[in-house]
Amino acid sequence: MENSITKTRQQKIDKLVWLEIKNGADLLGAITAYCLKNNIQAGLIFAIGALKKAKLSFYDQTKKKYLALSVNRPLEILAGLGNVSLKGGRPFVHLHLTASDKAGRVYGGHLAQGSIVFACESAIMRASGQPLNRRFDKLTGLNLWDWG
Ligand code: ZN
C-alpha cells in the first residue's frame, strides 16, 4: 500500500496557554498579535465562543485564490481549529472556523481578518523545538510547510 504521509515531525507540547479574547476584538488579529508578542512559533490553536460577524474564505483550487464569505450576523463558534508556524520568519496563524447562526445553519471556512468577537475562549498548545516554516508551493498555490 502506498504511504500517503510523506513527512512527519515529532515535538513535545511545552505549554498550554488559555486566552480570553475581548468583545469587539478581531479574532485572527488578536491571536496573531498574542503569538507575535510572545514569540509563539509552533503550536495548535483552539477557539470556541461567539462572533458578532464573520469573514471567512474558501480556497478555489482551480483559480488558486481565496473567495471571501461574509456572514454579517451573530454566530456561535462551534469549532475553531488551527496552528501557528512561521511565514517569512514571523509567527503566522492559520485557523479554520465552523460557526452556526440562530437557525442552526452552519458556515465554515478559513478565518480571515474582520471576524469580530462577541466572546471567545481560546487555547494555544505551544510546541517546543524547531518550528515549521511556510514556503510557496507551486502545485497548490498555497504557502505550505517547508520541512527543510
Ligand atoms: Zn486555511
XYZ file of all heavy atoms in Angstrom, residues 66 94 96 110, ligand 1:
43
model
N -8.307 32.774 -2.871
C -9.335 32.717 -1.838
C -10.560 33.513 -2.263
O -10.454 34.634 -2.746
C -8.786 33.287 -0.520
C -7.887 32.325 0.208
C -6.508 32.431 0.124
C -8.432 31.299 0.983
C -5.685 31.540 0.796
C -7.614 30.406 1.659
C -6.247 30.529 1.557
O -5.436 29.641 2.215
N -2.855 30.140 11.254
C -3.753 29.572 10.239
C -4.881 28.885 10.996
O -4.656 27.895 11.685
C -2.961 28.572 9.386
C -3.769 27.952 8.294
N -3.405 26.777 7.684
C -4.916 28.351 7.686
C -4.295 26.478 6.748
N -5.229 27.413 6.744
N -9.090 27.623 11.008
C -10.347 27.348 10.321
C -11.472 27.368 11.339
O -11.270 27.046 12.512
C -10.300 26.000 9.602
C -9.506 26.045 8.347
N -9.582 25.084 7.379
C -8.613 26.965 7.883
C -8.780 25.405 6.374
N -8.168 26.534 6.656
N -11.876 29.244 6.085
C -10.563 29.726 6.505
C -10.803 31.110 7.134
O -11.379 31.986 6.496
C -9.713 29.791 5.236
C -8.369 30.373 5.352
N -7.238 29.586 5.405
C -7.962 31.658 5.382
C -6.182 30.397 5.467
N -6.598 31.652 5.451
Zn -6.866 27.664 5.554
